[in-house]
């Protein structure tokens, strides 16, 4: 089995490598190719990756290359984990929206749109290269904004599934609170990428008892603290929103917080410098503890599970993925991409049925889906007016004056990445 990781020079890659090494019976990789244009980073990450495999006795071969075509050739699956523009672009995404009083964040709001505009054309180019060299390969997208990027891939006819670590993070945390094995926890997880709610927590599978009321009653403080939300919000909702709902439910509070502390991009950039220095140590043969603060917890386990299922090598019977709606949420278009529990096998992901949602949830999902449709049009076709319309449609912007100003900021800060600008 051959896997390729495009964006393999990421400082987060050793977490993925550690998962591949530990779970080699689930996903028996013979060749792993790390693809990245940053040769200096790739050399450091690749060296540590080989040492991790060697220490854990993994027989697979790790290859590094800057050549996308060569890297993805004959791959059974290709994982995409890109950051077009690097942490410098993320720093901009998180700061210029604040000038207009809007949340600055790299996956939602105006910053998220900027990331989508930079990313979608690059991902589609890579996907076409995959299709030319190996049309049967699966593409697993971990590149944000996952929902928009996955929709772009699916609309272009690629074999793609989107992956996010929010759900598996909840599963692991809830399992610890409930003192059960993670595999026993099944989430009624529904929404869009970075716009989801856990409407049920079931023990044993989709038909198991829903213990969410007890979980909130007994561990509500811990859940709320993890979300950085007041417990009152969680109790009144009666469900567990993802952390990203803070940007909607507490927008103005978050804006003030972001204005008075260093950006997450600045924190991550500093962390990356430390990590790369560590990776250069030939004695290091395991992922360093600092990597846990980098973000993306449990991504490796989720990625192994998904790849194993898509490649017919087992995997969990149910997984939370980003895939095409096809009537699962009847208030959305069939071609919308949703994030829900699904069964996954060699034919792809098939969403499980979802109970009728409270309008509090379905209304916001519909609103953001409309934005995502406009965002994808802007990413595919360009143009100032398309960017403006997408911003005007976003719930975190929504006003004409804000959308006008943010459009100018977005284009000015991203001109080098926008072929039409």
């Amino acid at each position: 089995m051959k896997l390729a990781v495009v964006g393999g020079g990421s400082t987060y890659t050793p977490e993925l490598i550690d998962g591949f090494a530990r779970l080699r019976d689930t996903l028996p990789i013979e060749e792993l190719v790390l693809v990245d244009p940053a040769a200096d980073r790739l050399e450091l990450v690749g060296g540590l990756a080989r040492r991790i495999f060697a220490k854990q006795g993994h027989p697979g071969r790790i290859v590094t290359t800057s050549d996308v075509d060569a890297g993805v050739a004959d791959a059974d699956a290709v994982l995409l984990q890109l950051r077009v523009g690097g942490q410098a672009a993320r720093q901009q995404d998180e700061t210029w929206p604040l000038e207009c009083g809007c949340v600055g964040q790299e996956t939602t709001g105006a910053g998220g749109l900027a990331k989508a505009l930079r990313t979608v054309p690059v991902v589609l180019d890579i996907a076409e290269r995959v299709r030319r060299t190996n049309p049967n390969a699966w593409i697993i997208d971990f590149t944000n904004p996952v929902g928009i990027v996955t929709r772009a891939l699916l609309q272009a006819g690629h074999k793609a599934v989107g992956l996010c670590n929010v759900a598996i993070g909840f599963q692991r945390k809830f399992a610890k609170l409930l003192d059960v094995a993670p595999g026993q926890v099944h989430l009624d997880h529904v929404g869009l990428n970075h716009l989801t709610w856990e409407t049920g927590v079931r023990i044993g599978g989709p038909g198991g008892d829903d213990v969410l009321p007890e979980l909130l009653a007994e561990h509500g403080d811990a859940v709320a603290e993890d979300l950085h939300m007041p417990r009152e919000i969680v109790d009144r909702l009666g469900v567990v929103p993802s952390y990203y709902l803070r940007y909607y439910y507490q927008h103005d509070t978050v804006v003030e917080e972001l204005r008075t502390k260093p950006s997450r991009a600045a924190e991550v950039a500093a962390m990356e410098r430390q990590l790369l220095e560590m990776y250069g140590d030939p004695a290091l043969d395991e992922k360093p503890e600092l990597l846990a603060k980098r973000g993306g917890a449990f991504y490796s386990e989720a990625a192994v599970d998904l790849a194993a299922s898509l490649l017919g090598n087992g995997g969990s019977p149910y997984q939370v993925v980003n895939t095409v709606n096809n009537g699962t949420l009847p208030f959305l278009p069939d071609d919308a991409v949703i994030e829900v529990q699904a069964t996954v096998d060699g034919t792809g992901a098939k969403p499980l049925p979802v109970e009728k949602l409270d309008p509090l949830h379905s209304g916001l999902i519909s609103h953001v889906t409309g934005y995502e449709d406009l965002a994808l049009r802007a990413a595919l076709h360009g143009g100032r007016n398309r960017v403006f319309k997408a911003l005007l449609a976003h719930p975190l912007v929504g006003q004409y004056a804000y959308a006008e100003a943010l459009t100018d900021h977005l284009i000015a800060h991203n001109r080098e990445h926008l072929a039409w600008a």
Side-chain angles (χ1 to χ4, degrees):
M1 181 184 297
K2 176 181 176 179
L3 263 68
V5 180
V6 181
S10 167
T11 55
Y12 189 71
T13 296
E15 171 66 31
L16 190 61
I17 299 299
D18 179 73
F20 287 157
R22 288 185 292 101
L23 303 171
R24 55 185 174 274
D25 291 339
T26 302
L27 192 67
I29 299 171
E30 296 168 295
E31 182 177 358
L32 176 64
V33 183
L34 305 181
V35 184
D36 203 292
D40 53 342
R41 293 169 63 107
L42 191 58
E43 181 180 358
L44 295 173
V45 173
L48 175 57
R50 293 186 186 97
R51 295 192 297 272
I52 291 174
F53 262 31
K55 181 179 181 179
Q56 299 196 31
H58 195 297
R61 183 167 72 107
I62 296 179
V63 178
T64 59
T65 181
S66 296
D67 186 332
V68 174
D69 293 326
V72 303
D74 300 321
D76 296 287
V78 178
L79 278 69
L80 303 180
Q81 51 174 41
L82 313 177
R83 184 179 296 281
V84 179
Q87 294 299 332
R90 178 179 181 172
Q91 170 72 14
Q92 293 178 354
D93 294 344
E94 294 180 354
T95 51
W96 54 261
L98 296 174
E99 297 176 25
C100 297
C102 295
V103 160
Q105 211 278 332
E106 66 156 344
T107 64
T108 191
L113 176 61
K115 194 173 197 304
L117 298 182
R118 294 192 304 268
T119 304
V120 166
V122 174
V123 165
L124 289 179
D125 176 68
I126 294 169
E128 284 300 326
R129 292 167 182 265
V130 173
R131 181 150 53 190
R132 287 198 300 267
T133 59
N134 184 6
N136 293 318
W138 278 102
I139 296 176
I140 298 174
D141 178 61
F142 192 66
T143 297
N144 282 318
V146 168
I148 295 173
V149 172
T150 302
R151 189 171 181 181
L153 288 166
L154 291 172
Q155 287 188 358
H158 298 289
K159 294 175 60 176
V161 180
L163 179 64
C164 180
N165 68 313
V166 166
I168 193 171
F170 275 131
Q171 182 201 46
R172 300 304 173 88
K173 290 166 187 172
F174 293 166
K176 186 175 181 179
L177 292 172
L178 296 167
D179 195 25
V180 298
Q184 288 295 303
V185 177
H186 178 92
L187 303 176
D188 291 345
H189 178 103
V190 63
L192 311 175
N193 180 240
H194 289 186
L195 191 88
T196 53
W197 296 263
E198 311 308 325
T199 60
V201 178
R202 302 183 185 277
I203 303 300
D209 293 334
D210 182 10
V211 298
L212 178 58
E214 292 91 332
L215 176 71
L216 293 179
E218 297 175 15
H219 305 286
D221 288 341
V223 172
E225 182 180 1
D226 188 59
L227 297 172
H228 297 278
M229 293 185 189
R231 177 168 179 175
E232 179 185 6
I233 292 178
V234 179
D235 285 342
R236 294 188 70 177
L237 291 174
V239 300
V240 180
S242 78
Y243 169 87
Y244 292 90
L245 267 298
R246 282 194 79 223
Y247 301 122
Y248 297 83
Y249 296 158
Q250 297 177 279
H251 178 274
D252 293 352
T253 299
V254 173
V255 168
E256 289 307 309
E257 289 177 3
L258 294 174
R259 282 173 164 167
T260 58
K261 68 177 185 179
S263 68
R264 174 63 177 164
E267 293 176 354
V268 171
M271 204 177 303
E272 286 196 335
R273 289 191 290 271
Q274 289 181 263
L275 287 169
L276 288 171
E277 185 175 346
M278 292 178 180
Y279 296 172
D281 180 357
L284 183 67
D285 57 6
E286 60 185 11
K287 62 179 182 179
E289 291 184 11
L290 178 62
L291 189 56
K293 300 179 181 179
R294 171 67 177 77
F298 307 115
Y299 161 45
S300 59
E301 284 90 340
V304 167
D305 212 10
L306 179 54
S309 295
L310 292 172
L311 299 177
N313 206 62
S316 301
Y318 309 107
Q319 298 171 46
V320 173
V321 297
N322 284 261
T323 191
V324 68
N325 180 40
N326 275 344
T328 305
L329 301 182
F331 53 87
L332 294 185
D334 282 347
D335 66 349
V337 165
I338 59 176
E339 186 172 292
V340 292
Q341 287 277 7
T343 58
V344 185
D345 58 23
T347 65
K350 301 173 184 63
L352 298 181
V354 174
E355 293 185 6
K356 185 176 180 180
L357 295 180
D358 189 301
L360 182 65
H361 309 141
S362 61
L364 187 54
I365 291 171
S366 297
H367 194 161
V368 176
T369 297
Y371 151 75
E372 290 191 346
D373 183 69
L374 293 167
L376 183 53
R377 294 183 199 179
L380 293 174
H381 306 295
R384 186 187 188 281
N385 200 46
R386 291 190 180 94
V387 174
F388 165 78
K389 287 181 177 179
L391 287 167
L392 187 63
H394 201 295
L396 298 181
V397 180
Q399 296 186 52
Y400 177 87
Y402 288 172
E404 272 287 290
L406 289 168
T407 299
D408 291 335
H409 281 300
L410 186 155
I411 294 172
H413 285 283
N414 292 275
R415 198 176 299 276
E416 66 179 296
H417 300 291
L418 305 177
W420 52 267

